[in-house]
Amino acid sequence: MKSLLKYGYFVLLVCLITLGGCYPTRKLKSNEQWLLKSNTVSLQGETQIDSDELEAIIKQRPNRNIGFPIPVPSLWKSPFDWDFVLARINLRAYNVGQRGKGPFFQWLSNKVGEPPVIYDTLLTRRTLSQMNEYLCQKGYFDNRIEVLSKYSKRKKMVRIAYVIQPGQPKRISKINLNIPQEKLREIYDQQKDKALIGEGDIYNYSKLESERQRLVNLYQDRGYFDFTREYIRFDVDTNFTDHGLHLTLVVRNALLKTDSTQIQVPHVQYFPNKIFVYPEYDFFSNTVYTDTLVNDNVYIVYNKKLNINPRLIYNNLFFNKSYYSQSDANITYRSFNSLNLYRNIRIEFKKPVYSPKTDILDGFIYLSPLKRNSFSTEARLETRSANGSGANKSSYNLGVSGNLSFQRRNAFRNGEILKLSIQAGLEPFFLSDSSASKNFFNTTEIGPTLSVTFPRFLLPIKQERFAKSARAKTTIAANYSALRNDDITRKATRLSLSYEWNETAKKVHIVNPIELSFVNTKLSSLIDQRLNALGDPFLRNTYSSQYIQASSYSFIYSDQYTSKSKKAYYNRSKIEAAGNLLRAVASSTNNWRQEGTSYTVNDIPFAQYVKIENEFKTYQKTFFNNVVAFRLYGGLAKPMANLGSLPFEKSFFVGGTNGIRAWGARSLGPGSYFDTTSFRGFLNRLGEIQLESNIEYRFKITKLLEWAFFADAGNIWVFRERGNRQGTEFTSKFYRQLALGAGFGARMDFDFVVLRVDLAFPIHDPSKPEGEKWITQRKDQYNEIVRRYNERLNLSGNGAISSYRIKPNLNIGIGYPF
């Protein structure tokens, strides 16, 4: 270990010398040129100003750095208090590319590299001007900004610091109204409690702009189709000595253009007249539509045959008959879009030229359908470390799977989506020691799935009772899967019914009232022997044939990135229960067949459990639009009386390409359990409790290539220790049993798919003996256990289990890990 660390330190030192020994400024053409090394914003005093927004104003950016910012001790108290771990790789790539010739060097210079950013004082003055404007817009009219520069003559680099003293902000002491049109004044008074500004608030120009937009939306939703932002302004009076100002909200009348001048007239409130819907519109042809279906004021325009039920169109129209509303048009657009039937959707409102009425609008909805029938393919790739013997010793096995799907939209003319897919896969899946050594792909899995999604609730209740804005969906699905390898043959049939609806644009509810699964399992004699040796009925029942009747509820909150936000949040909560009703019925009657403590259905015991899960993810943009992604997952599943264990599909496991990447899938835990009788296989890597956390820092190298550093932590446990599995129980000192892995990887974004490669190292392995869990600790006890194991089984040469050595776990996947 010492020699490994010594060589590691040597390699790191060589890399740092290589990156820092050759200054990227030696190619600068004159003594007047200085490479801009960094920009720093230093805010003095207490303020509500966001320094990130001030940094975004800076007109000149230094070349990108690869690494994390760290404090520079010698400049700790100065504005120049941050530096970077690694050098500007992109700038160095540009210099290397400029020196070479040929396509490779041209690619290196133009695609990977960045030209040097030469400090420009003109851009600094422009930055000062815009920073001052920004501070005034935030209410800090008496601000002072000082520019400090620190030059390094040896390196020909300059650091710039903007030291800002915002001063005392001005507050709004009074708000006056100037709304001459009485109807507009009434609408404002009805919604004034939702105003974004109020007396006593610090003056903020962006809030005033938001308030303008709120009023525009308010008036457009009350029928004022022609109302725009130009009719609203705020007059500001700062002639006061108490750091206060007066605001006057002015809502102007409409302007009517004549031949010679413009005159002010009251704004017109419009009402919807006729709605024309073109359900099969072609934006690229001049088709003449000959047929029309009329219902109330809705006109469905088509040719010869209408291929969709008119009721589906009516159910997705949200127009208020009282007056025109832009929000109604937006909701209608989102509702049609959620059907997944249309490629393009366009909604327009026009004033009819044939009508003598001057306050009505006709709506036109153009729907361009997607292809009714479509095929798609999907491929997945993953790796798992294989500690097999022989030719596969300490190698990496690839798992591959594919999915072929056929989809028919509007299958039964009511907007249904029918989907038939067939999935097949080859992968390494080792339950025992023996199967790890023979076949590269030792496991085959295949299974078809048929599902139908209806754009409504399938319930014996009138659809009018449900809000149309919920965009309800019902999915009925049937699946069959067969898995086979040397250790296990598992066949499963599943039927499910689910309801999904939107509470808001960010909140989704999913209810699965029924999910039926019939699982038929056959185990090899070797697995039977291993289960008997472990003496754990939990594992025995987990791998048995079972009947599962489950119900679940999920709630999803998703807040995506917006232009004004640098953060995004996602949270999924789920609760699931199975077998409780069956157990209650069975225990209250004598007509149920019972084997031991378990009641059965058709001689197959049914599972009984309660399972709770929660997954939280957040994404934070940092400097240079790099991203810090964080994930926290927790789950517990409590097996109940009827079976005393969880079904294999419902148990928790950790590791793999999307989990704790330093371990292969199903190769970690539970707890600190260490099976000294087996060094291969996933037989006992199942748990009832799971905790997992992941953090990843992603930054762009080129448009195609993205680099990432990450750390993963977590484990699985059981509620109660059983059999010979010591260290598996969840206790108050669970944190000592957390596995920790870290590593780095690359993501290649090809627009249509993201290919990911990660190398992860186990930093803390809870299964190792005491005093040997950390990567830096010697593994004498572990190596002695390995030696005795090889000796007992007469394993030698390539067939023996190797002693411990540090090695990364390779992960290849498609898409981001979370």
Side-chain angles (χ1 to χ4, degrees):
M1 175 62 69
K2 288 184 178 179
S3 61
L4 178 64
L5 293 176
K6 179 177 66 177
Y7 286 120
Y9 293 146
F10 175 77
V11 171
L12 178 61
L13 181 61
V14 169
C15 290
L16 291 176
I17 291 174
T18 303
L19 293 174
C22 180
Y23 295 141
T25 55
R26 66 190 185 94
K27 292 292 183 180
L28 296 185
K29 297 179 180 179
S30 72
N31 293 331
E32 300 296 324
Q33 293 181 332
W34 298 83
L35 184 72
L36 180 61
K37 185 174 184 180
S38 65
N39 290 314
T40 306
V41 173
S42 177
L43 281 168
Q44 307 294 316
E46 296 184 2
T47 176
Q48 298 182 12
I49 299 296
D50 187 348
S51 60
D52 290 341
E53 294 183 3
L54 282 168
E55 289 178 2
I57 295 174
I58 298 175
K59 295 300 179 185
Q60 196 173 27
R61 304 282 175 178
N63 292 103
R64 286 184 292 172
N65 289 270
I66 305 302
F68 292 93
I70 59 173
V72 180
S74 62
L75 300 170
W76 183 263
K77 295 183 179 180
S78 77
F80 314 98
D81 59 353
W82 296 95
D83 208 337
F84 289 82
V85 175
L86 300 180
R88 294 166 171 79
I89 302 299
N90 301 80
L91 175 56
R92 296 178 187 279
Y94 175 83
N95 288 336
V96 172
Q98 290 290 302
R99 292 198 298 268
K101 295 182 179 180
F104 171 77
F105 288 98
Q106 185 177 6
W107 170 84
L108 189 65
S109 177
N110 297 336
K111 298 297 183 181
V112 180
E114 286 181 349
V117 177
I118 308 303
Y119 176 57
D120 188 339
T121 56
L122 178 61
L123 293 177
T124 300
R125 287 195 292 270
R126 288 178 56 189
T127 298
L128 281 174
S129 175
Q130 294 200 12
M131 280 186 172
N132 175 70
E133 181 179 352
Y134 170 84
L135 291 168
C136 291
Q137 290 178 354
K138 293 292 184 180
Y140 296 88
F141 294 92
D142 301 325
N143 67 82
R144 292 180 58 191
I145 306 175
E146 184 179 5
V147 179
L148 303 180
S149 56
K150 186 177 184 64
Y151 291 87
S152 173
K153 294 183 179 180
R154 184 172 64 91
K155 297 182 179 181
K156 295 194 67 178
M157 294 182 179
V158 58
R159 296 181 182 182
I160 302 299
Y162 297 89
V163 181
I164 300 171
Q165 296 179 350
Q168 189 77 8
K170 289 192 177 293
R171 295 183 178 272
I172 301 171
S173 57
K174 188 175 182 181
I175 298 177
N176 301 308
L177 300 178
N178 183 2
I179 308 177
Q181 190 170 338
E182 183 177 351
K183 184 64 176 179
L184 296 183
R185 176 64 181 264
E186 291 178 2
I187 295 174
Y188 175 86
D189 289 338
Q190 292 170 1
Q191 299 288 327
K192 65 181 179 181
D193 58 326
K194 297 181 180 180
L196 304 178
I197 56 173
E199 295 180 356
D201 293 347
I202 295 176
Y203 173 85
N204 189 318
Y205 179 80
S206 61
K207 278 192 175 183
L208 297 185
E209 289 298 294
S210 298
E211 176 67 4
R212 285 180 69 192
Q213 189 59 51
R214 184 189 75 87
L215 293 175
V216 170
N217 296 340
L218 175 63
Y219 290 133
Q220 287 185 350
D221 286 346
R222 297 301 179 91
Y224 293 93
F225 173 71
D226 291 330
F227 198 94
T228 60
R229 290 169 62 91
E230 66 180 14
Y231 293 117
I232 298 176
R233 76 169 188 266
F234 286 95
D235 294 336
V236 181
D237 187 355
T238 60
N239 293 322
F240 300 93
T241 59
D242 57 351
H243 296 285
L245 53 82
H246 288 190
L247 278 183
T248 300
L249 168 61
V250 181
V251 180
R252 297 189 300 157
N253 287 331
L255 296 176
L256 178 63
K257 295 182 179 180
T258 63
D259 294 337
S260 58
T261 184
Q262 290 181 339
I263 59 173
Q264 291 191 7
V265 296
H267 292 277
V268 177
Q269 189 175 32
Y270 290 91
F271 304 89
N273 182 37
K274 298 177 181 179
I275 305 296
F276 296 88
V277 182
Y278 295 79
E280 297 176 3
Y281 190 79
D282 188 348
F283 287 94
F284 303 101
S285 69
N286 296 320
T287 304
V288 177
Y289 298 92
T290 58
D291 299 287
T292 304
L293 180 64
V294 182
N295 181 13
D296 197 5
N297 65 331
V298 177
Y299 294 72
I300 300 177
V301 186
Y302 61 99
N303 263 336
K304 296 181 181 179
K305 181 181 179 181
L306 184 60
N307 293 320
I308 195 166
N309 191 330
R311 180 177 294 181
L312 181 65
I313 294 176
Y314 302 143
N315 288 339
N316 287 276
L317 297 176
F318 292 84
F319 297 110
N320 190 331
K321 294 183 179 180
S322 300
Y323 43 74
Y324 163 82
S325 171
Q326 180 60 43
S327 292
D328 289 349
N330 296 337
I331 295 173
T332 298
Y333 177 91
R334 291 195 296 268
S335 185
F336 277 110
N337 189 56
S338 68
L339 294 176
N340 196 25
L341 299 176
Y342 301 104
R343 180 187 300 108
N344 293 309
I345 302 170
R346 191 172 74 199
I347 300 178
E348 296 178 350
F349 277 88
K350 301 176 182 178
K351 302 172 186 177
V353 295
Y354 56 84
S355 174
K357 294 184 178 180
T358 59
D359 60 351
I360 61 173
L361 296 171
D362 285 342
F364 297 85
I365 302 177
Y366 304 100
L367 305 173
S368 177
L370 289 162
K371 289 184 179 180
R372 194 170 187 185
N373 299 325
S374 63
F375 289 89
S376 64
T377 59
E378 179 184 359
R380 289 187 293 275
L381 178 69
E382 69 171 15
T383 57
R384 293 177 180 171
S385 59
N387 295 319
S389 59
N392 288 336
K393 179 180 177 182
S394 300
S395 65
Y396 296 97
N397 280 356
L398 293 176
V400 294
S401 62
N403 190 53
L404 175 64
S405 299
F406 165 75
Q407 184 171 260
R408 182 171 175 84
R409 295 180 174 86
N410 194 32
F412 311 118
R413 297 183 63 250
N414 286 284
E416 303 88 352
I417 296 179
L418 183 147
K419 186 174 182 180
L420 174 63
S421 61
I422 299 178
Q423 180 174 331
L426 299 171
E427 63 174 337
F429 187 80
F430 311 129
L431 286 182
S432 68
D433 289 7
S434 63
S435 64
S437 61
K438 296 179 180 179
N439 302 318
F440 189 75
F441 291 126
N442 76 321
T443 302
T444 59
E445 184 174 9
I446 188 170
T449 299
L450 176 65
S451 67
V452 182
T453 299
F454 302 85
R456 59 189 178 279
F457 284 129
L458 287 186
L459 291 169
I461 303 173
K462 291 184 178 180
Q463 296 298 309
E464 290 76 12
R465 292 179 175 269
F466 304 106
K468 293 194 297 182
S469 58
R471 301 199 291 278
K473 295 180 181 179
T474 302
T475 300
I476 300 175
N479 166 263
Y480 174 81
S481 65
L483 180 147
R484 181 183 179 88
N485 71 6
D486 298 333
D487 295 322
I488 184 173
T489 300
R490 191 176 184 85
K491 300 177 182 179
T493 302
R494 297 180 181 85
L495 302 172
S496 66
L497 170 67
S498 67
Y499 299 103
E500 178 180 335
W501 71 94
N502 292 65
E503 178 184 342
T504 65
K506 298 180 181 180
K507 299 177 182 178
V508 179
H509 301 266
I510 303 173
V511 173
N512 291 69
I514 188 70
E515 179 184 320
L516 301 178
S517 299
F518 300 89
V519 182
N520 185 13
T521 304
K522 292 182 180 180
L523 301 175
S524 67
S525 58
L526 179 61
I527 293 301
D528 269 333
Q529 296 174 12
R530 289 284 294 121
L531 289 173
N532 291 334
L534 289 169
D536 188 347
F538 171 83
L539 287 177
R540 170 65 68 180
N541 291 331
T542 294
Y543 290 102
S544 65
S545 297
Q546 297 173 11
Y547 167 71
I548 306 170
Q549 182 182 11
S551 301
S552 64
Y553 165 72
S554 301
F555 173 73
I556 299 173
Y557 176 86
S558 181
D559 180 14
Q560 301 298 321
Y561 282 122
T562 63
S563 58
K564 296 182 180 179
S565 175
K566 294 185 177 182
K567 293 183 180 180
Y569 299 96
Y570 172 90
N571 193 85
R572 178 182 62 87
S573 302
K574 182 178 181 181
I575 182 169
E576 180 178 336
N580 298 300
L581 180 60
L582 285 177
R583 177 76 183 192
V585 174
S587 59
S588 63
T589 179
N590 295 323
N591 296 328
W592 287 69
R593 182 185 174 103
Q594 187 174 13
E595 295 181 359
T597 60
S598 300
Y599 291 97
T600 65
V601 176
N602 294 330
D603 297 330
I604 299 176
F606 60 83
Q608 184 186 7
Y609 61 87
V610 175
K611 185 176 183 180
I612 301 174
E613 301 174 82
N614 193 84
E615 182 181 34
F616 171 77
K617 295 185 287 189
T618 181
Y619 306 89
Q620 170 73 57
K621 289 184 180 178
T622 63
F623 48 88
F624 302 115
N625 283 327
N626 298 332
V627 174
V628 175
F630 174 76
R631 172 180 175 266
L632 180 63
Y633 174 85
L636 59 90
K638 179 65 175 175
M640 310 300 281
N642 198 66
L643 198 58
S645 66
L646 298 174
F648 178 81
E649 293 86 349
K650 304 299 181 178
S651 301
F652 294 109
F653 70 92
V654 284
T657 57
N658 296 328
I660 304 177
R661 285 160 279 184
W663 283 264
R666 302 184 185 275
S667 64
L668 176 62
S672 59
Y673 175 66
F674 180 28
D675 185 1
T676 59
T677 65
S678 173
F679 287 83
R680 318 177 185 102
F682 310 143
L683 180 67
N684 46 25
R685 304 299 188 181
L686 301 173
E688 301 165 320
I689 301 171
Q690 180 179 350
L691 291 175
E692 185 174 317
S693 179
N694 317 85
I695 189 168
E696 185 168 287
Y697 174 64
R698 305 166 184 165
F699 52 93
K700 286 284 188 181
I701 302 297
T702 67
K703 184 179 180 180
L704 171 67
L705 181 62
E706 187 178 57
W707 201 249
F709 293 109
F710 59 83
D712 308 316
N715 208 335
I716 54 174
W717 296 266
V718 295
F719 284 102
R720 180 172 57 85
E721 190 175 292
R722 308 175 184 90
N724 301 323
R725 299 202 301 166
Q726 296 180 354
T728 60
E729 185 174 330
F730 186 85
T731 68
S732 60
K733 297 182 179 180
F734 71 92
Y735 56 89
R736 296 182 180 178
Q737 297 177 332
L738 291 174
L740 175 63
F744 57 90
R747 290 90 176 88
M748 284 154 281
D749 188 352
F750 296 99
D751 292 332
F752 61 93
V753 67
V754 175
L755 179 63
R756 171 167 52 92
V757 179
D758 288 330
L759 279 178
F761 295 83
I763 306 301
H764 181 262
D765 187 345
S767 68
K768 294 292 187 294
E770 287 296 331
E772 300 183 357
K773 298 179 183 297
W774 292 95
I775 190 174
T776 55
Q777 294 175 323
R778 294 175 60 88
K779 303 295 186 291
D780 295 336
Q781 297 180 64
Y782 174 82
N783 290 334
E784 178 60 21
I785 294 172
V786 170
R787 187 191 65 78
R788 292 200 301 265
Y789 179 84
N790 290 329
E791 187 178 89
R792 184 171 67 252
L793 299 182
N794 295 320
L795 300 177
S796 61
N798 289 333
I801 302 298
S802 60
S803 59
Y804 176 84
R805 68 178 185 273
I806 298 175
K807 63 177 182 178
N809 188 42
L810 173 67
N811 296 274
I812 300 176
I814 294 176
Y816 289 104
F818 57 93

